[in-house]
Every structure is written in C-alpha cells, then in structure tokens.
C-alpha cells in the first residue's frame, strides 16, 4: 500500500510540473532567446558574432513555431478518446488565440452549438488551433475570423472562415504537404499536415475553398457522437439478425 501511495503522489507531481509539454519546452527557449538578445545588443559583441546570434535566435523561433504546431495542448499522460463538446473545445482554442488576433486587429465572430463528437481532446484542439491560426495569419492588416458550428446529417460541421489573403488553386492543392509554406522563415509548413492527419484519424472530412484577396473557407466535418452510437447499434442488430 505504501508504495502505491508514493507512486500516486509522484504522478500528481508530474501532473503539476508538466501541466503542458509545450509550456515546459517553451520556458527554456524563451530564457535562451532573452540572453541571446542581450548578447546581440552588447557593445562587446563583434559584428560577426552578432550575425551568429541572429541565426541562433531564428533557430529558437523555428523550434518554438514547431512546438506550437505539434504540442500546444500536449500533456505527459497518454490520451484517451472521449466525448467532446465542440463548443467548449472551440472556445478554449479561441482563448489561446485571442492575443494573436488582437495583435493583427482580427475580430472573432462565432455561432457555436454544443454538439458532441468523439475524439482525443488535445489532438482536436491542436487541429482547430492550426486552422484558426492560419486564418488569423492570413489577415495581417485586420479582418474577421468566423467560426460556425452546425449539424449536417450524421456530421458535426465546423466552418472556419477568414477575410484574408486567400490562396491560389496551386496553393490549395499543396495544403498538407510537409514543409509547404508561403510564410518564409516564420512558417513551418507542418500545421496543415497535422490537421489532415488528425481529421483522418477522427474519420472526418475537410474541404477548403479560397479566393485570392477575398479569403478562405475551411469546412471540417466530424461524425456526430450520437450518429456513431447509432451506427454501432445498427451494426450490432444486423449481426444479431445474421446469427
Ligand atoms: P505554415 O502556417 O507554417 O505556413 P501550414 O501547413 O499551417 O504551414 O500552412 C501552409 C500554407 O497554406 C501557408 O503557408 C499558407 O500559404 C497556406 N494557408 C493555410 N491556411 C490559409 C488561410 N486561411 N489563408 C491563406 N493561406 C493559407
Ligand atoms: Mg500554420
């Protein structure tokens, strides 16, 4: 019993310390970046060394961007599939993105309904974050991010739209290709790859429509939790009939 108690306590410590993996990795990156900047500003630093420091800072920023696209909501414990409320999850992601939206004068308009789907919470949040972050980044001079939830047959539909720079047909076709980015050093080209992979594991569908200088519409369809339950009931009944 004693051993078990100690183990339980240890688990709790892990839970508190590493509330989020991204937070734990970001902290040392931020500290290192801060000291690099101090060095870069110091009059004792030669021009040559300033160039090296600049490269180091850019690489730290790249690591930070990759963590954002992969691990924003990641926690040390393994994930389980559970019943998720799309409204709650979308609101959580919007909370995280609001500072970024404010920086670019992007207004956020939502029509959210608390439909249920099945999935791993962190992965679903990461998927929403990557799509909404792209939408905000497509509006550097302001605009509106729309997020609407509705139900279509057995699918919960999440419509994410922006009034940003839009994409050409060629760009839409390359979406999800690893390292495809039009954002230069600031982009990872990994965000949409992660999105496509997560939607696939959730048995969902994604469809993207875009027009250059008008904006982009992303539709994500995920099987409704209840449709899924109903399918199972039907399959089980059929089996019963066959037997
Ligand atoms: P990153 O954002 O790091 O560039 P992503 O995989 O998230 O990588 O996106 C790949 C590319 O797809 C972006 O660089 C951009 O050109 C394009 N893109 C994605 N979403 C949008 C959007 N909402 N509006 C305009 N372009 C977009
Ligand atoms: Mg992105």
């Amino acid at each position: 019993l004693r051993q078990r108690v100690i183990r339980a306590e240890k688990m709790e410590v892990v839970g508190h310390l590493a509330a989020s993996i991204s937070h734990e990795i970001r902290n040392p990156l931020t500290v290192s970046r801060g000291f690099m900047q101090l060095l870069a500003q110091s009059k004792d630093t030669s021009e040559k060394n300033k160039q090296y420091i600049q490269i180091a800072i850019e690489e730290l920023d790249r690591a930070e961007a990759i963590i954002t696209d992969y691990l924003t909501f990641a926690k040390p414990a393994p994930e389980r599939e559970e019943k998720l409320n799309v409204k709650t999850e979308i609101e959580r992601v919007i909370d995280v993105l609001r500072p970024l939206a404010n920086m670019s004068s992007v207004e956020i308009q939502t029509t959210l309904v608390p439909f249920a789907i099945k999935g791993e919470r962190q992965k679903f949040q990461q998927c929403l974050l990557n799509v909404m972050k792209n939408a905000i980044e497509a509006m550097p001079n302001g605009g509106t991010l729309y997020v609407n939830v509705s139900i279509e047959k057995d699918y919960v539909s999440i419509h994410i739209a922006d009034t940003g720079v839009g994409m050409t047909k060629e760009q839409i076709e390359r979406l999800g290709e690893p390292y495809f980015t039009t954002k230069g050093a600031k982009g990872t080209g990994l965000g949409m790859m992660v999105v496509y992979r997560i939607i696939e594991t959730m048995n969902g569908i994604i469809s993207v429509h875009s027009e250059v200088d008008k904006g982009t519409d992303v539709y994500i369809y995920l099987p409704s939790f209840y449709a899924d339950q109903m399918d199972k009931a039907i399959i089980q009944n059929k089996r019963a009939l066959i037997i």
Side-chain angles (χ1 to χ4, degrees):
L1 179 73
R2 192 162 166 259
Q3 264 228 301
R4 232 195 263 166
V5 171
I6 292 170
R7 244 185 96 85
E9 276 171 1
K10 275 191 189 160
M11 289 296 285
E12 205 175 321
V13 170
V14 170
H16 279 301
L17 276 185
S20 122
I21 292 172
S22 82
H23 184 78
E24 297 297 318
I25 309 177
R26 273 205 184 101
N27 273 346
L29 289 181
T30 309
V31 174
S32 310
R33 196 184 191 284
F35 282 116
M36 293 283 183
Q37 267 182 324
L38 276 181
L39 276 179
Q41 283 156 15
S42 160
K43 57 175 169 25
D44 301 333
T45 307
S46 70
E47 277 312 308
K48 189 83 210 155
N49 284 349
K50 276 184 188 171
Q51 281 175 20
Y52 294 147
I53 291 166
Q54 198 45 46
I55 295 170
I57 289 177
E58 279 162 21
E59 292 298 307
L60 288 174
D61 287 346
R62 185 167 166 71
E64 151 97 35
I66 292 172
I67 290 163
T68 300
D69 281 353
Y70 271 108
L71 297 170
T72 299
F73 302 99
K75 297 196 172 59
E79 268 214 279
R80 279 176 294 108
E81 273 203 335
E82 53 191 315
K83 184 174 165 186
L84 303 174
N85 174 334
V86 291
K87 180 171 188 275
T88 313
E89 303 309 327
I90 292 171
E91 280 169 348
R92 168 91 175 83
V93 173
I94 289 177
D95 280 346
V96 170
L97 282 173
R98 195 157 321 258
L100 184 73
N102 287 344
M103 272 199 309
S104 321
S105 313
V106 168
E107 192 200 342
I108 304 176
Q109 282 188 24
T110 62
T111 319
L112 306 178
V113 193
F115 291 125
I117 57 164
K118 198 173 77 178
E120 294 169 62
R121 187 186 310 276
Q122 298 156 26
K123 295 214 174 69
F124 180 52
Q125 289 179 343
Q126 184 73 63
C127 165
L128 293 172
L129 179 108
N130 291 5
V131 174
M132 289 189 212
K133 188 164 172 280
N134 280 342
I136 295 170
E137 285 169 350
M139 303 182 279
N141 304 315
T144 310
L145 165 66
Y146 299 91
V147 187
N148 293 311
V149 169
S150 61
I151 199 123
E152 285 181 35
K153 289 192 183 143
D154 291 344
Y155 285 85
V156 173
S157 152
I158 303 167
H159 177 199
I160 297 165
D162 66 66
T163 55
V165 294
M167 279 177 275
T168 64
K169 209 166 147 260
E170 292 71 30
Q171 286 170 340
I172 297 177
E173 271 163 17
R174 292 193 63 188
L175 270 184
E177 185 182 301
Y179 306 115
F180 166 64
T181 181
T182 55
K183 297 172 192 168
K186 284 209 177 91
T188 63
L190 296 171
M192 287 308 287
M193 184 195 78
V194 168
V195 167
Y196 282 32
R197 212 168 49 196
I198 292 171
I199 291 173
E200 200 181 313
T201 62
M202 294 177 80
N203 296 317
I205 298 160
I206 179 167
S207 123
V208 180
H209 306 262
S210 190
E211 208 177 317
V212 174
D213 291 335
K214 288 262 162 61
T216 301
D217 290 275
V218 177
Y219 294 87
I220 296 171
Y221 302 96
L222 296 164
S224 140
F225 183 81
Y226 299 105
D228 193 49
Q229 296 299 97
M230 248 156 22
D231 281 348
K232 267 189 201 142
I234 291 166
I235 290 164
Q236 272 161 10
N237 267 340
K238 271 195 189 143
R239 252 195 221 132
L241 284 178
I242 293 164
I243 291 164

